[in-house]
């Protein structure tokens, strides 16, 4: 797979949340599965497949990833979410056409989607230009390490101001053993 394909997959996953925010003006738990899919792909993109700004490879499990890899995946998700929202705004007429067809038919498959997109473009020729994505630009890990917000210690601190810091576990001496 190419980076563009994976970015497109991530944008597809983010589409449900983008439509909720932009068109429905809400956020619901309905996008949970899609957000998990986007997160999994973003983690694999930057931490497993070496398509981010580092050649290091880590497992795609967020629990074992270094804080900088989590920050890179988060930046990737942020950038692609902004691109997804821009796509939804530029092609909102097509989103409404798909929604209307889904209400009528209940489900759509590939060729049916193509027909709906073609008809929507014909009905809106002034907006039918191809969507051109902006390239993803992720910082290098060394840049993240210099950034106070994404340094390993900063990522362990709470976001809320005035909150107590999250305790970092310290090694404990062994308990005395009875003789």
């Amino acid at each position: 797979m190419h980076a563009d394909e994976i970015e497109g997959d991530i944008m597809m996953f983010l589409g449900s949340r983008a439509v909720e925010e932009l068109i429905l003006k809400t956020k619901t738990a309905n996008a949970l599965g899609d957000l998990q899919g986007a997160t999994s792909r973003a983690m694999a993109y930057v931490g497993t497949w070496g398509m981010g700004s580092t050649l290091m490879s880590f497992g795609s499990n967020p629990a074992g990833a270094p804080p900088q890899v989590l920050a890179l995946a988060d930046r990737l998700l942020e950038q692609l979410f902004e691109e997804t929202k821009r796509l939804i705004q530029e092609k909102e007429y097509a989103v409404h056409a798909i929604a209307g067809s889904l209400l009528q038919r209940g489900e759509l498959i590939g060729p049916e989607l193509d027909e709906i997109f073609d008809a929507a473009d014909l009905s809106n020729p002034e907006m039918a230009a191809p969507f051109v994505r902006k390239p993803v630009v992720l910082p290098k890990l060394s840049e993240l390490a210099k950034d106070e917000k994404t340094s390993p210690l900063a990522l362990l601190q709470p976001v809320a101001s005035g909150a107590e810091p999250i305790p970092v576990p310290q090694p404990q001496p062994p308990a005395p053993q009875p003789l």
Side-chain angles (χ1 to χ4, degrees), residues 62-144:
Q68 294 90 344
V69 171
L70 293 173
L72 283 174
D74 188 51
R75 296 248 178 118
L76 176 65
L77 288 168
E78 285 176 15
Q79 287 184 33
L80 291 176
F81 187 57
E82 291 306 312
E83 278 299 280
T84 302
K85 290 192 300 188
R86 190 169 68 84
L87 172 61
I88 297 298
Q89 288 172 325
E90 282 187 24
K91 303 295 182 179
E92 186 172 347
Y93 65 92
V95 172
H96 289 289
I98 295 294
S101 293
L102 278 170
L103 287 172
Q104 288 177 351
R105 301 179 193 181
E107 70 178 11
L108 300 169
I109 58 173
E112 294 169 326
L113 287 169
D114 291 337
E115 290 172 17
I116 296 165
F117 283 125
D118 290 343
D121 281 344
L122 287 172
S123 298
N124 298 278
E126 70 285 352
M127 303 170 121
F131 180 76
V132 179
R133 275 198 307 133
K134 294 177 185 171
V136 170
V137 180
L138 295 175
K140 301 278 185 199
L141 285 179
S142 58
E143 294 168 7
L144 284 176

Side-chain angles (χ1 to χ4, degrees), residues 164-179:
E164 290 295 316
I166 298 170
V168 177
Q170 299 296 319
Q172 299 295 316
Q177 300 294 320
L179 297 174

Side-chain angles (χ1 to χ4, degrees), residues 6-17 34 38 84 87:
I6 297 166
E7 291 169 14
D9 286 352
I10 294 170
M11 288 178 68
M12 179 191 63
F13 281 120
L14 295 171
S16 58
R17 176 52 58 92
D34 289 340
T84 302
L87 172 61

Side-chain angles (χ1 to χ4, degrees), residues 144-167:
L144 284 176
K146 293 176 191 173
D147 184 351
E148 290 180 22
K149 292 180 272 186
T150 55
S151 72
L153 291 177
L155 291 172
L156 293 174
Q157 300 305 315
V159 175
S161 62
E164 290 295 316
I166 298 170

